[in-house]
Amino acid sequence: MTTFGGSMSDIFDRIERTYAFPICCTLSFLGPFLAPMVGAFIGQSTHIGWRWTEWRTMIMAALVTSAIFIFVPETYGPVLLGWTAKHLREITGDQRFVAEFELRQTSLFTRLMHSCSRPFDLFFGKIIVVLFTIYLVVIYIVLFGFLTGYEFIFGDTYGFDQGSVGLTFIDMNVGFLFEFALVPHFYFAYKKRLSKTIANGEKSLPPEERLWFAMCGAPWLPISLFWMGWTSYPSVSYWSPLIASVAFGFSVQGIFISTYQYLIDTYELFATSALVSATFFRYIAAGAMVVVMYFRVDDTGSTCFL
């Protein structure tokens, strides 16, 4: 959620990021919300235990991490420049080829401290990072609540078994894909506006041009929540909350794409630090609030907060 945003800034220009970033973003959402489908059937299986949900995750993480370590090249500009300067010194013998970060002569510990403190500097020093982070905190509190809330909605209310509850996450993935389907339109529109901007003598479009995804998706967030909340009753078909979940997925995907692309365009070289700031505080707050909000009604009719 953080490093791929920085890699997007390193590898692709602004036009290319219009389609490259939504691809990575869509994959990062599809994974967590396809996982409950697999995990639900593992959990109810009589052949393997529920612990295999964790074993499977660890095995996949090991395979992906190994593939990244072996095949993914370095993309950070200052590091690449340092490698180029070192290569030129070796082949020419001229010690004047020096990268900018080599001139600083800072230790590894100092660089680590700067890298670890920069996200907090951006969060406490840049109001736009704070506002986007607060917005994402609210979104993710609701999003994480869905992960546990589906069991109450479709399990307790509609009587779905564990495996069928896992399958209900398909609808949210459909919403992600609907938002992704808008990418070609926004790509060509952004490319056209950028060409006009350059023809007028300006260098690039402002970061606010990245907010179109959110402007299309954000209104569907309250609509989908009210829709689901007012129709999740046994007397109403389960198709109603399922379709509401499609609208919710559409909304979340659009807000996420716009937020991250805005921060990447704004901070470019330090995009990863800005995204770390937003991600760190988002997950801390949202993870804690899910525990606070997690409750259900027991058999006696009284509310139990867990």
Side-chain angles (χ1 to χ4, degrees):
M1 287 294 189
T2 55
T3 55
F4 85 80
S7 297
M8 291 291 105
S9 178
D10 294 340
I11 299 172
F12 301 104
D13 60 29
R14 292 200 172 197
I15 293 181
E16 293 171 333
R17 287 203 296 268
T18 306
Y19 65 83
F21 182 83
I23 291 175
C24 289
C25 183
T26 301
L27 293 175
S28 70
F29 272 100
L30 289 176
F33 289 92
L34 287 173
M37 297 166 51
V38 180
F41 285 102
I42 291 176
Q44 73 175 18
S45 174
T46 57
H47 301 288
I48 55 177
W50 62 266
R51 290 176 178 81
W52 270 97
T53 58
E54 305 298 334
W55 283 113
R56 178 185 55 82
T57 302
M58 188 179 72
I59 292 170
M60 288 298 297
L63 292 174
V64 172
T65 303
S66 300
I68 291 173
F69 183 79
I70 297 172
F71 297 109
V72 176
E74 176 63 66
T75 61
Y76 191 48
V79 173
L80 296 177
L81 187 62
W83 289 355
T84 303
K86 181 180 179 181
H87 178 65
L88 291 174
R89 290 196 299 267
E90 291 176 350
I91 62 176
T92 64
D94 190 342
Q95 300 301 311
R96 290 178 299 175
F97 291 104
V98 181
E100 180 182 356
F101 83 93
E102 292 178 309
L103 294 174
R104 302 191 191 112
Q105 296 294 324
T106 55
S107 64
L108 174 62
F109 177 78
T110 301
R111 294 199 301 273
L112 286 174
M113 291 302 296
H114 286 165
S115 297
C116 292
S117 62
R118 189 179 295 118
F120 296 95
D121 293 338
L122 289 174
F123 181 82
F124 292 106
K126 304 294 183 181
I127 186 63
I128 194 63
V129 177
V130 176
L131 294 177
F132 270 129
T133 301
I134 293 174
Y135 191 22
L136 288 175
V137 165
V138 175
I139 301 298
Y140 269 71
I141 288 174
V142 179
L143 184 65
F144 286 3
F146 268 55
L147 293 173
T148 54
Y150 267 37
E151 175 62 34
F152 301 144
I153 296 172
F154 296 103
D156 296 351
T157 303
Y158 291 104
F160 286 18
D161 60 27
Q162 185 175 348
S164 298
V165 170
L167 291 176
T168 59
F169 284 90
I170 293 176
D171 54 308
M172 201 177 300
N173 285 279
V174 171
F176 299 151
L177 295 176
F178 277 151
E179 184 71 43
F180 180 72
L182 298 177
V183 171
H185 168 71
F186 288 127
Y187 168 74
F188 289 111
Y190 186 88
K191 187 176 181 180
K192 183 178 180 180
R193 289 194 295 270
L194 182 60
S195 298
K196 290 183 178 180
T197 300
I198 294 175
N200 293 331
E202 301 179 22
K203 292 183 178 180
S204 62
L205 291 170
E208 285 74 18
E209 287 289 338
R210 299 298 193 183
L211 300 179
W212 285 103
F213 280 102
M215 285 189 281
C216 290
W220 286 99
L221 182 70
I223 293 173
S224 64
L225 294 178
F226 277 101
W227 183 350
M228 175 170 285
W230 285 96
T231 62
S232 296
Y233 293 96
S235 58
V236 181
S237 172
Y238 58 79
W239 283 104
S240 181
L242 285 176
I243 297 174
S245 297
V246 174
F248 180 78
F250 178 84
S251 174
V252 171
Q253 176 91 326
I255 294 170
F256 187 88
I257 291 175
S258 285
T259 299
Y260 269 48
Q261 283 196 318
Y262 182 96
L263 293 176
I264 291 171
D265 281 9
T266 302
Y267 295 102
E268 291 285 351
L269 186 62
F270 299 119
T272 301
S273 296
L275 300 183
V276 166
S277 175
T279 304
F280 176 80
F281 290 102
R282 173 176 90 235
Y283 280 121
I284 289 293
M289 284 303 298
V290 168
V291 178
V292 173
M293 295 190 305
Y294 184 64
F295 70 92
R296 63 177 297 171
V297 178
D298 64 15
D299 295 334
T300 64
S302 60
T303 303
C304 302
F305 292 87
L306 305 180

